[in-house]
């Protein structure tokens, strides 16, 4: 299901999390749970993986993760502010040390001039610490490829916030 590069990234995340006694959560929109799916593809991941939130709609982002209605109306779901609030909400609503959140436009439709297909905002939040944001513009490379690249970037972001 997941290619070797993604599985290697997931293994690295899990190994570092074990070494640092870190528990992980995901908050996903455009990937629909694939980041969590990649992590849990690895046998034994349950010792560091806590939970995943799939919040595809604005309502779900607000109700489940506590994303502000003001954020959603002012900036939209595909924004830095929303990604940060999703990651912070996932930590708040879980037993996790770190959560990664992804929200974007995988396509093939749905893009605009300001928010084109392939735009993904992601954030990782560490409990009691920082929230790190990244914006990726993968381009109109196809829905499957946008989602694949998002998984890879999200796992790399988790690795970067663990150090």
């Amino acid at each position: 299901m997941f290619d070797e590069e993604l599985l290697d990234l997931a293994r690295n995340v899990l190994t570092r999390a074990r070494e640092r006694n870190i528990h992980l959560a995901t908050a996903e929109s455009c990937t629909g749970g694939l980041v969590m799916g990649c992590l849990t593809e690895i046998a034994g991941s349950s010792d560091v993986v806590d939970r995943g939130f799939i919040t595809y709609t604005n309502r779900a982002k607000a109700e489940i993760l506590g994303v502000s209605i003001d954020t959603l109306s002012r900036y939209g779901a595909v924004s830095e502010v929303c990604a940060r609030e999703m990651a912070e909400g996932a930590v708040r609503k879980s037993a996790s040390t770190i959560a990664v959140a992804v929200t974007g436009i995988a396509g093939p439709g749905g893009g605009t001039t300001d928010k084109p297909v392939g735009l993904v905002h992601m954030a990782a939040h560490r409990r009691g610490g920082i929230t790190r944001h990244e914006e990726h513009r993968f381009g109109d490379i196809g829905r499957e490829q946008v989602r694949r690249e998002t998984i890879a970037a999200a796992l790399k972001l988790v690795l970067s916030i663990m150090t």
Side-chain angles (χ1 to χ4, degrees), residues 2-154:
F2 298 100
D3 64 49
E4 274 309 306
E5 180 188 359
L6 292 178
L7 293 173
D8 284 344
L9 281 168
R11 285 184 197 98
N12 287 338
V13 166
L14 296 170
T15 297
R16 281 206 200 157
R18 283 184 191 100
E19 292 169 352
R20 291 163 175 78
N21 196 31
I22 289 172
H23 292 89
L24 304 168
T26 65
E28 303 181 59
S29 187
C30 62
T31 49
L34 292 173
V35 177
M36 180 58 74
C38 189
L39 288 168
T40 59
E41 184 73 11
I42 309 301
S45 59
S46 62
D47 60 346
V48 295
V49 173
D50 179 51
R51 70 190 73 187
F53 301 93
I54 300 170
T55 54
Y56 211 66
T57 65
N58 286 355
R59 182 176 177 179
K61 288 172 183 68
E63 289 179 358
I64 296 170
L65 298 173
V67 174
S68 162
I69 297 298
D70 184 57
T71 291
L72 294 166
S73 62
R74 289 178 81 186
Y75 304 102
V78 182
S79 65
E80 175 179 349
V81 181
C82 183
R84 286 176 178 275
E85 288 185 23
M86 287 172 67
E88 292 163 3
V91 167
R92 234 184 0 263
K93 302 279 186 167
S94 71
S96 298
T97 316
I98 291 174
V100 64
V102 297
T103 181
I105 303 165
T112 65
T113 303
D114 291 338
K115 296 183 180 183
V117 170
L119 171 64
V120 179
H121 285 275
M122 59 185 66
H125 176 69
R126 187 172 187 135
R127 185 178 297 279
I130 62 166
T131 304
R132 187 172 294 162
H133 165 264
E134 291 181 359
E135 176 184 307
H136 294 270
R137 292 180 180 259
F138 298 116
D140 194 355
I141 57 175
R143 183 176 185 82
E144 182 177 337
Q145 197 61 27
V146 168
R147 288 162 50 117
R148 189 247 176 246
E149 294 304 316
T150 300
I151 297 164

